[in-house]
Amino acid sequence: MCMKQIIGEPGIDLSSDSKMDLKLTRNSESFHKPNSSNHNLNSFNQASQYFPNLSPTNFLSRAENLQQNLKTKSTNSFEPNLNSGMATQNPPLDWDPHAMLSNLSFLEQKIHEVQSLVQSIIDQQAEFSSRPSELATRQQLATADLTCIIIQLISTAGSLLPSIKNTLLSNNPALRQLVNPDFNNNLKCEGLIRNFPETARNSEYEDLLRNLDNEADWMKEPNPPPQSDIVDANPIDEHDLKESDDGDAEREHLPPGSYIVLQLEKEEILAPHTHFCVICGKGFKRDANLRMHMRGHGDEYKTPAALAKPSKEPGSDAHPVTRYSCPFVGCKRNKEHKKFQPLKTILCVKNHYKRSHCDKSYTCSRCHAKKFSVIADLKTHEKHCGRDKWQCSCGTTFSRKDKLFGHVALFQGHTPALPMDEVKASGSGQGNDDMTEDLGGYNGNFASEECLTSMDVKGIDESRAYFSPMNFDGFGALDEFGRGGFDLEDNPFAFIPSGFGQRSGDS
Amino acid sequence: MCDITAVLTVDLLAQVLDWLHDSRDLKSCRLVSRAFLQAERMHRRAIRPLRLGPLPVLLRRYVGSLQSLDLSSCPSLDDSALSLSIPCPNNLLSVSLSRATGVTWRGLEVLASVCPRIEAIDISHCVGFGDREAAAVAKACWLKELRIDKCLNVTDVGLAKVAVGCSRLEKLGIKWCFEISEIGIDLLVKKCLELRELDISYLKVGNESLRSIASLSKLEDLALVGCEYIDDEGLYFLSNGNCSLQSIDISRCENVTSVGLTTLAEGQQRLRKINAGNCSPVLTSTFVSKLCTLGDTLIILKLDKLQLLASALEIVGKNCRNLLEIGLSKCNGVNDEGISWLVEGCTNLSTIDLTCCLLVTDKSLLSIAACCRGVKCLRLESCVLISEKGLDQIASCCMDLKEIDLTDCNVNDNALKCLSRCSELLVLKIGLCSGVSDIGLSFIGTNCSKLLELDLYRCTAITDDGLAAISNGCKRLKKLNLCYCNQISDTGLAHLQLEELSDLELRGMVRITSSGITAMAMGCRSLTQLDLKRCYSIDDAGMWALAQYTENLRQLTISYCTVTGLGLCHILGSLRCLQDVKMVHLSWVSIEGFELALRASCGKLKKVKLLGKLQDVLSSELLQTLQARGCRIRWVNKPLVFKG
């Protein structure tokens, strides 16, 4: 009865993460599962029986939410029309503190019940030996209750966990594989229901995550353990899930008015850190990083609740799609602009504002020419800047000295080229030409790069002399010849391939 | 008169000439006859001209046989002068351009192309040289020996040029080339597999370089002086490398401890020379005990400033029986007992350095005299406890003694009387011994006629008579230090008629005047270095005399003299070999005087020391010209204080 209530309601957003929702909605539309009973639903029904005040809507939405965030297929118990109801523009139904409180009270009550039940089993152990059937009944009752607790616990905590869990597990397949197998085995041997109470005893965050993941696996397990009454679920295509919607706002072609436009102030945009540690004062750009940082300050910050994403203000739930406007009037990204193109995230705003409307205060330490206002841009540039700084005589350039020297060590006869400015400066000096003329008589090998660099276009005919067959008897000349062609951009012999001298020299 | 060559053929003459090492003897030989000149011409392999002027004549005479040309003493050597100085064709194998700051890479390229078979080039101390010069040198592809010490601008690129261009290199010195890093060393090691000697002293390279160097299979001699980034790990690489070192110098490597030295001694079993002076302050006995595994191969061991116990010396004495040289300078623990154990074992010792071993007494000298009769060199500076008794024993037993350093030992005339029995003595240092008087010097003058070097620094009891005795007896003196012997006057200086004297220090001799300098200059024509600092009475007349008579003068210190601008101009303008002048606090010289004098000397000077205040007053154009010609100017800021 309650199920239909949910299913029939079209405007329920089951996830706090709207991006994920879009995806999952699309995916789940293609799944059409025969209606079948499900362990989850059973327990939910049970729960609602035990706790009549509990809102089933919340309950189910939590469960659905959890499952989606675990990147598993939504269980078939949720009908297609439920999925179709999760439209992006519908306001998300986030958790209500009152509902949360009632959930927790329910858990408390439930735990007390199980506690007394187990105590009674212990107390009456002697009697049970004569009546094994009664013991079995009580045990079944206890396990059922525990299962209920687990489900309730997961669904309560589920809304808090997805982001952390995703980063921990979904991005790390190795970890996932590490975590999963023994649990799958356990499931296969003993069945899920028996397994749960054990793991639930661990309140450690990691174990909780593992359970969540395990449950996810269990739910998409193609061959479910025979003991459990889990229905086969189609595994979700991983590729679809991994696609992330990082497109630009203009590609979305959102109709104007379909989203909220926020405009941050300049000071707010340029503030380096917005989250500060209350203990040590260290600033962070992201709250998630602050929360991770807080773990270092003590165990109390390691609890799942402390690590979980803080709840959004109830008011913000009203705005499903938020886009940002640049505070610079006249900018295309400013909301007053005729062809306004909104910015998608706060990070986009920050980068846009710095790039377009701020001084470029970061100068490249290598070329001292390029300037940037976003430090990430500078770092990207610096990776490639100065590429030509280290040059080999064969013309190959390297960004790092050790790379050049590794190259020189590898190839016979290659030498590092002297820095270009020095070559030009000394090559253009007077007296160099006289000197080289003097040398012509001494040694044909004196066709060094200095000669080449010092000659202008008029000197081509003269310099031809340097390339007479005489030059090719020594390796050095060839080496220098090849190099000369590449030391100077407008050198008349620049057309000669760099490997030319080298190849001849090697042969 | 019959032709002597009929009796003495050119071959025989050449064999005679083989035994003549002194330049003066050779000169006498040349002057005998044309035939002798011819023989000498064919015999001579190396020349070292002091000036460029006579070089063309010399080259024409010797070009056929000449193999080695040393131009390091020539002033005003620049590219054009260099290209004219080197004959073509030639058989030159070795050229030294040390301190030739006026030469650039163009000159070096000429050199490399004109001397196709050249095997050794020395361009050390050309502080302005960089990669371009190294690249020019690298064109001499047959090079086996290269010194580029203190070419301050040579970087890894320059070294790589050399490594690739001169792959046959066997000896390489890159001391003080601070820009060279581990990357360059690594490439050098990969390219120059023939390296036998390598000097990377004072480079800022670390252990990784030693790991590369250890792979050089032919390396025998490695100098790592003052490599502060090298520690025990680097020595571990060396001890496990392919090279079998014969000589290693790791002095002043602050981070090397006895652990590293121990591993080195374990791994390199063919080590013959070890210099571990000034390493770490502590030397455990393990290193010394490992030395015994080297045993008989070790011939030179220097352990300066290490903490040594007498027992350590006992181990050395028992195991290293072939030791020829031991350095124990500033080793605090060295005492008579240790020395006696050492010399009992190492009877072949010829050089013993006990500088600042304050515990050493006459007993040590007695045991040295008893055991090491062949000792040639004894350094006993600041061993204040020794007396004439010990020296008497040394002098009577060690007849071969050639060098003794008794600076600051408070020796007296009796000690000199004993020492004068060593007729082979070449070097005698008795600085700061105020007990030495004319009587003592007269013994030296009478008996030690072979003396080449005498140090009388602050022997204040010496007068003109003592100097006369020395000048009359020791005619071969090349080096004489009379600083602060302020009883000596012009009369004493006039006795200095030493034709071979090249190095004379007269600092702080307040009594001498220009007339004394004139008399001295007339007698000592070969002077190349002269120090007249704080000889306040010397004026222009002294400068005129120097300019006229000592034309080979290369280094001159005339700070605090009462020279005027005229005298300065004259001496700087006339002396053709002058390269290094220190002229601080010449109060009588005007700014114009300095300007004119420096202009007059332009092109020759390589080093000038001037008062800092002149930096702003002298014309910048002049200073630029000086620097462009390879002259380095040191500006000194010292107050004008008259002493003595």
Side-chain angles (χ1 to χ4, degrees), chain A residues 390 401-402 405 408-409 411 413-418 422-423 426 429 432 435 439 442-443 446 448-450 483, chain B residues 79 83 88 105-107 109-110 113-114 131-132 135 139 156-157 160-161 164-165 179 181 183-184 187 190-191:
Chain A
W390 300 104
K401 185 163 86 168
D402 54 334
F405 276 66
V408 168
F411 294 98
H414 289 212
T415 66
L418 295 167
E422 204 187 324
V423 174
S426 51
N432 183 32
M435 191 67 72
L439 288 170
Y442 292 135
N443 193 345
F446 199 72
S448 70
E449 76 271 37
E450 284 76 41
R483 172 174 142 202
Chain B
D79 289 342
S83 49
C88 179
W105 58 271
R106 295 191 187 94
E109 285 199 336
V110 175
S113 57
V114 172
D131 293 341
R132 192 129 283 272
K139 296 199 166 132
D156 288 338
V157 174
K161 288 271 183 198
V164 174
E179 301 289 323
S181 75
I183 298 174
L187 184 73
K190 283 177 184 155
K191 294 288 181 184

Side-chain angles (χ1 to χ4, degrees), chain A residues 240-295:
Chain A
D240 283 349
L241 287 168
K242 276 184 182 158
E243 259 175 37
S244 67
D245 186 8
D246 52 4
D248 217 357
E250 52 260 58
R251 247 186 279 159
E252 291 181 325
H253 297 298
L254 291 172
S258 67
Y259 50 86
I260 303 296
V261 175
L262 279 182
Q263 182 171 300
L264 283 80
E265 286 311 306
K266 183 187 160 196
E267 289 73 23
E268 216 173 340
I269 291 170
L270 295 178
H273 305 301
T274 46
H275 306 278
F276 293 94
C277 172
V278 289
I279 295 165
C280 67
K282 189 169 163 44
F284 293 88
K285 287 177 185 163
R286 295 176 185 84
D287 185 50
N289 292 347
L290 173 61
R291 274 180 276 136
M292 286 297 156
H293 162 84
M294 293 305 282
R295 291 188 307 175

Side-chain angles (χ1 to χ4, degrees), chain B residues 153-169:
Chain B
N153 296 326
V154 172
T155 70
D156 288 338
V157 174
L159 185 64
K161 288 271 183 198
V162 169
V164 174
C166 317
S167 55
R168 296 175 179 84
L169 266 187

Side-chain angles (χ1 to χ4, degrees), chain A residues 423-470:
Chain A
V423 174
K424 278 182 185 174
S426 51
S428 61
Q430 284 295 317
N432 183 32
D433 295 349
D434 309 338
M435 191 67 72
T436 52
E437 275 170 25
D438 289 349
L439 288 170
Y442 292 135
N443 193 345
N445 272 1
F446 199 72
S448 70
E449 76 271 37
E450 284 76 41
C451 308
L452 288 170
T453 50
S454 63
M455 56 194 183
D456 49 8
V457 181
K458 281 184 283 182
I460 287 181
D461 287 337
E462 284 175 340
S463 57
R464 282 268 158 77
Y466 290 119
F467 303 121
S468 66
M470 272 288 284

